[in-house]
Amino acid sequence: MNKENCEEILMALMAVFDGEKTDLSPEQLNSHLASCENCRTEIEQIQSTFALLKRQERQPSEANLWSAIEPRLQTKIYWQPFVFLAVFLVAYKFAEMLSASDPGFAFKIVPLVFVAALFVFLKENPFKINTELILEK
């Protein structure tokens, strides 16, 4: 069989497995499967995969996620330091733009130092992902 025909047949058979309608009749599909070893092998693999998946049971999780998430939502977020940081960085950029001469490398590293100092002051990196979340059972 040609490759395009086999692909069309396999797509139609998978649609039938999913409960969808196809343009091809069941007789056309069966006659192709009777004459094409490759398609039969492919369909047998798909059927065995479906059978394996049907035998699996969904195991409900007994972990209570909300009890771990709710306290983190109620913690107070200190946004004022970030507003101060934004104002400082905008003012710094204006000062840099208005400067007639090149202020040098030391002047350009000031924002980095300021941001690092702010995070040290806050004692927490707001971009850190907590991978040690403990869930209650």
Side-chain angles (χ1 to χ4, degrees):
M1 295 287 147
N2 68 20
K3 188 170 177 128
E4 290 87 25
N5 191 25
C6 287
E7 287 181 20
E8 183 182 343
I9 295 291
L10 289 173
M11 293 302 286
L13 285 167
M14 286 189 278
V16 168
F17 289 153
D18 289 339
E20 299 174 12
K21 293 183 180 181
T22 66
D23 295 338
L24 300 173
S25 69
E27 293 81 24
Q28 288 173 310
L29 298 174
N30 289 334
S31 68
H32 179 83
L33 284 178
S35 63
C36 182
E37 179 65 32
N38 290 335
C39 288
R40 266 197 315 275
T41 304
E42 192 76 29
I43 290 303
E44 287 170 3
Q45 290 175 350
I46 291 171
Q47 286 176 329
S48 66
T49 302
F50 281 158
L52 178 67
L53 291 174
K54 274 188 167 181
R55 289 194 307 262
Q56 299 301 314
E57 290 182 24
R58 182 180 169 100
Q59 306 229 345
S61 173
E62 297 186 19
N64 183 0
L65 296 176
W66 186 248
S67 63
I69 295 171
E70 186 178 26
R72 296 190 72 189
L73 293 175
Q74 294 176 353
T75 59
K76 185 171 179 161
I77 298 173
Y78 298 101
W79 54 270
Q80 295 91 345
F82 295 103
V83 171
F84 178 70
L85 174 65
V87 169
F88 171 77
L89 291 175
V90 168
Y92 175 84
K93 192 62 177 174
F94 277 131
E96 187 180 28
M97 288 173 26
L98 295 175
S99 173
S101 63
D102 186 23
F105 180 73
F107 187 72
K108 292 184 182 204
I109 201 163
V110 168
L112 178 64
V113 171
F114 191 77
V115 169
L118 181 65
F119 286 138
V120 168
F121 173 73
L122 293 176
K123 296 183 181 162
E124 182 176 333
N125 182 352
F127 305 109
K128 177 182 172 190
I129 297 174
N130 184 3
T131 58
E132 300 169 2
L133 183 63
I134 300 173
L135 304 175
E136 298 176 7
K137 287 192 176 186

